[in-house]
Structures are given as structure tokens and as C-alpha cells.
Amino acid sequence: MSAPELNLVPTATTKRAQQRLNPFRGMLRLWCFDIGSVSFLGVGLLGVLLACLAAVNGKNDSAEFLFSMGIVSSSAAVAWQLIRLMASECSQLIPHYRRHIYIQSITVLASVFAIGVLCCLVLGLTSSLASLVLALVMSFAFIWLCLLSTQWFYASFLLFVLVPFISLMTAHIPLWLSVIALVVLGGLIIRVCRALPWRAEARTVYLNGLEMGWFWLPNLQSMRILSRFERYLHPTNFFIGPMLTALLLLLPVACLTLGVLSHQFHWNIPVLLLLAQFSVIMCSMVHWSRVQRSRSTETLLLMPGFDGRTGLIAAFCRGQQRLLNVVVGIMLACTLLLGWLDGELNMQLVGHLVLSTYWACALILGFGCMCRRVWHVTLTMMIVAAHSLWVSISLASLRDGGNLDDWFIWNFVLMLLGNLVLIWGKKTLWKGDVIHG
């Protein structure tokens, strides 16, 4: 072997060794090209970005809420990556693969948390640090439960339900206790990850999550009334299945239950704000499932009752309008009932919540028709964040003695915009995706 060849061999070997030891090699592909990961991670990064903007503009409550949402959503992405590790048989055979995922997971969570802490320290929002630490504790607890049993990932939506209550819980949980819980949970996670086993149920969770948005439901089709209701929404609910009907039943029941408990025990839970937020998220899941199950479009087109592609699109958009009417009706009924229960029925507030819910859901459904990729649907979550800020700021203005006259004007403008987006979405729905007819 010649001298140049002797010099080249160790150089190539060294380069390969350095590539293997680089823990961030392939991170973009693993985290941003995976449907489940990028969905949660995108919402988390969006929450952090909006939180920074809210903090700079002096909206401390909104910034605290959005930072907590960013931490919680990023933790769901981390849990998803760990479940995918347990679902993959070859993950144990690839050298350094698990180690790289662990380092990348720590980097994602630490980066989101560090940005929140740094922003709070720079802007003097030290009172929000306890909420960020508690959000991280909840995130660690969720990750640990998912490591013990992957079925816990189906309850990921509970994390987002608890986010608005973090500021209330910090009033009763001291910071030092949250720090101790954080250290203990971190140690438990490290202990489990040292010997992370392969699990057959993890693959089931992985596949179900891709199609159903990580939401398990019993079979409700045996109930005649619900079957009629599903036919009323068909074909809009074709891709999401009975999950849409269950959510439409669950949301008002949960809202009224929380409203009664809040009135009875003086908890001051923002029940109506939560109902509006989850109504908008539910509408986004219609197109999330449609994009995930795009291969089923041809099956839907072949069903009787549709006059080709044009008839299918018309029927789908009629179903969207019916869904929009149902959501607005639920919002109107719950607002009236809770207002009557509290003895402070404010028709301005009722109208504002109903109109804002209408235009937010209309925008989500309209832009959702234009989506062809999952990351497109993820971008529509900006509407959810904007609607949350819109309602929060308007309610704060009402509490400070203001009125909602100007907000009503903008609500009507946004309603008009929402209807225009719905019409535009109808023209772009399945454009080029299915055979014309």
C-alpha cells in the first residue's frame, strides 16, 4: 500500500466516526419531516414566538399562557419521538440512534424552556417563572407516563386543557416544590430511558395517532340519533369518523360541568374561552384527518350520492356550513346558560363570543380546504392563537369597564372575511387531487 493510501484511510475513518458521534446529525429529518412530531413541535414553536411578541407588547397574561403552551406542546413532540423509538424494532440495532434521540429531545425542551425564562428575566416578568416551571413539571410527568404505558399518549389533549389553569395552580404550589418534582421526574425518566424496551402496543399508538390525531373513542354508531347526526354532517366527517360527533357532544357537557363547578366553588375558570378555543381546534381536526387520509378521497368519490368531483365538493362544503352552524349553536346555548347561572347575562358578551367563534371556525375551515400537507394544517393553528388573544384582550377590556362596540365592528368584518375564505376554499378543495367530473 502506497503512502498516500495510508494517509487517506485514517482520515475517512475519522470522518465517519465524527458523523456517528454528532448527536444532531439528521435531526431536521427526524423532527420536521415526521407528521406527528412536526405537528406538536410546530404548535410549540408558534406558541413561543407569539409569547415573545405578547411579552414585548406588555401582555403578560397572554405571554405566560403561550409560553406554557409552547413547553407543553414541545413535550408532546418529545413523547412522540420516544414512542416511535419503542415502536421501532431496528432502533436497538442502529449504533448511537437512541442516544441521539435523547440528546435531541433534551435540546428541544431545554431550548423552549430557556427562551421562556430568558424572556421573562429580560422583561421583568419574574412572577411568570413559577408557571413555566410548573408547565415543565406537567410535561415531564406526561413523558414519564408515556414511557410507562404508551396508551397515555391518547390523553395528550389533557395537557392543553390544563394549560389555562397553570397560573391558578401556581398560587397554591410553591416554586421549591415544583423544582423538587422536576428533579424527581427527570430522574425517573432517565432511569426508564436507560433500558427502553420494544413494545408492540407502541406501534399501535403510533399508527392510530397518525390517523386519528391521538384521540381514542368508543364506537358510537350503534346509537340511532347519533347516526342521523353523522349523516347530517356527511361527508365532512367522513375522514375524521365518529370522533367529530363525540367531540360535539363532549364539549358542551364539559363546558356546562366546569361552569357549574366554577360557579359553586368560585374558581373563576375561563370556561367560555376554553369552549371557543376547543371549538376552533375541533374544526381544524376536520382537515387534519382529511389530509392524513387523503388516499380515502377516491373511495369517498365512488360512493353513491355525489355527482362527480363537483358534487362531492359541494356536499363537503355544505357539511362544513352545517358543522359551523352546530358549533355556533353550542357556543350560543352554553353562553346563555352560564350567563343565566351567574346572574350576569350580558348580551354584548354573548354576541361577541358567538361572532368571534364563527369567524375563527370559518377561517379554519376555509383555509383548511386549501391544505394538502400536514404542515399546511399546522400553519392554520396561528388562527387559534390569534383568536385566543382576540377574546382574552376583549374580555380584559370589558372587565376594565370598557364596551365591545368597536369589537363588534371588527367581528362583522372578520365574519365577512371568513365567508370569503370559505368560498375561496371551495374553489381550491381537491384541486388536482381527484379526477374531474
Side-chain angles (χ1 to χ4, degrees):
M1 186 177 292
S2 62
E5 292 175 337
L6 290 173
N7 292 332
L8 287 174
V9 173
T11 303
T13 304
T14 303
K15 288 182 178 180
R16 287 195 296 269
Q18 290 175 348
Q19 288 177 349
R20 286 197 302 267
L21 295 176
N22 181 13
F24 302 105
R25 183 169 179 259
M27 184 176 180
L28 183 65
R29 173 66 59 177
L30 286 172
W31 290 80
C32 296
F33 287 81
D34 179 86
I35 292 175
S37 174
V38 73
S39 300
F40 287 108
L41 191 61
V43 174
L45 295 178
L46 179 63
V48 171
L49 177 62
L50 293 176
C52 293
L53 295 176
V56 171
N57 293 322
K59 307 297 182 182
N60 299 347
D61 294 338
S62 299
E64 183 178 315
F65 169 79
L66 291 169
F67 272 130
S68 300
M69 185 182 71
I71 294 172
V72 163
S73 187
S74 301
S75 71
V78 170
W80 171 254
Q81 290 288 347
L82 297 179
I83 288 176
R84 192 172 69 165
L85 274 183
M86 291 186 284
S88 176
E89 297 178 358
C90 64
S91 64
Q92 302 181 17
L93 304 177
I94 303 175
H96 307 293
Y97 179 64
R98 290 193 169 196
R99 174 178 172 271
H100 290 179
I101 295 296
Y102 294 154
I103 294 176
Q104 292 170 12
S105 300
I106 293 173
T107 303
V108 168
L109 265 183
S111 299
V112 173
F113 182 72
I115 291 173
V117 171
L118 183 61
C119 187
C120 291
L121 293 177
V122 170
L123 298 176
L125 305 177
T126 54
S127 59
S128 300
L129 292 177
S131 297
L132 300 188
V133 174
L134 185 58
L136 193 60
V137 170
M138 291 168 50
S139 300
F140 274 27
F142 175 71
I143 294 172
W144 179 60
L145 289 173
C146 289
L147 291 173
L148 295 182
S149 176
T150 56
Q151 303 292 328
W152 277 101
F153 199 82
Y154 289 124
S156 57
F157 71 97
L158 290 176
L159 277 177
F160 296 92
V161 174
L162 293 175
V163 168
F165 307 111
I166 290 179
S167 58
L168 298 176
M169 289 187 284
T170 52
H172 305 283
I173 301 176
L175 180 59
W176 61 267
L177 185 59
S178 297
V179 173
I180 293 176
L182 193 65
V183 173
V184 172
L185 288 169
L188 293 174
I189 292 173
I190 293 174
R191 181 180 178 183
V192 177
C193 287
R194 283 178 177 174
L196 197 64
W198 175 83
R199 292 175 179 171
E201 65 272 15
R203 179 173 175 79
T204 303
V205 173
Y206 180 82
L207 296 177
N208 288 345
L210 291 180
E211 293 188 350
M212 292 297 295
W214 307 278
F215 196 93
W216 177 86
L217 288 171
N219 186 6
L220 299 175
Q221 294 180 348
S222 58
M223 300 179 66
R224 183 176 300 178
I225 296 179
L226 296 184
S227 297
R228 291 180 178 177
F229 184 70
E230 289 182 358
R231 288 197 297 270
Y232 175 73
L233 297 176
H234 184 76
T236 303
N237 59 350
F238 175 79
F239 301 97
I240 194 172
M243 175 180 170
L244 182 61
T245 302
L247 286 175
L248 289 172
L249 292 175
L250 179 63
L251 282 179
V253 172
C255 172
L256 294 176
T257 302
L258 283 176
V260 171
L261 293 176
S262 178
H263 173 76
Q264 187 68 27
F265 297 101
H266 306 286
W267 287 345
N268 295 322
I269 301 175
V271 178
L272 295 175
L273 175 61
L274 291 175
L275 176 61
Q277 285 291 281
F278 280 100
S279 297
V280 181
I281 294 174
M282 178 183 60
C283 290
S284 70
M285 294 179 69
V286 170
H287 288 285
W288 165 274
S289 59
R290 180 184 65 81
V291 174
Q292 291 280 34
R293 297 178 172 181
S294 57
R295 295 180 180 179
S296 301
T297 305
E298 298 292 343
T299 303
L300 178 60
L301 182 62
L302 295 175
M303 285 185 175
F306 304 120
D307 185 15
R309 174 181 175 271
T310 304
L312 173 61
I313 293 175
F316 192 92
C317 292
R318 281 198 302 271
Q320 281 195 145
Q321 187 62 51
R322 290 171 180 173
L323 173 62
L324 190 56
N325 295 337
V326 171
V327 170
V328 171
I330 291 174
M331 191 71 203
L332 175 61
C334 291
T335 307
L336 290 174
L337 287 174
L338 293 180
W340 170 78
L341 178 65
D342 293 333
E344 299 176 356
L345 187 59
N346 188 333
M347 295 309 297
Q348 265 199 340
L349 177 62
V350 173
H352 174 63
L353 290 174
V354 171
L355 294 178
S356 61
T357 303
Y358 179 90
W359 62 254
C361 292
L363 289 175
I364 281 282
L365 292 172
F367 283 118
C369 291
M370 309 174 197
C371 297
R372 296 187 180 182
R373 300 289 184 271
V374 172
W375 68 271
H376 296 163
V377 183
T378 303
L379 288 177
T380 62
M381 296 302 290
M382 296 179 63
I383 299 174
V384 179
H387 176 253
S388 176
L389 289 175
W390 177 271
V391 177
S392 299
I393 295 173
S394 61
L395 293 181
S397 174
L398 185 62
R399 284 195 302 266
D400 294 339
N403 57 59
L404 299 175
D405 294 340
D406 294 336
W407 295 92
F408 268 102
I409 297 174
W410 284 107
N411 277 329
F412 283 113
V413 172
L414 290 171
M415 280 182 61
L416 177 61
L417 178 62
N419 288 326
L420 292 176
V421 172
L422 280 174
I423 296 172
W424 185 20
K426 181 179 180 179
K427 296 180 178 180
T428 58
L429 181 61
W430 288 311
K431 188 175 183 180
D433 295 340
V434 296
I435 301 175
H436 289 263

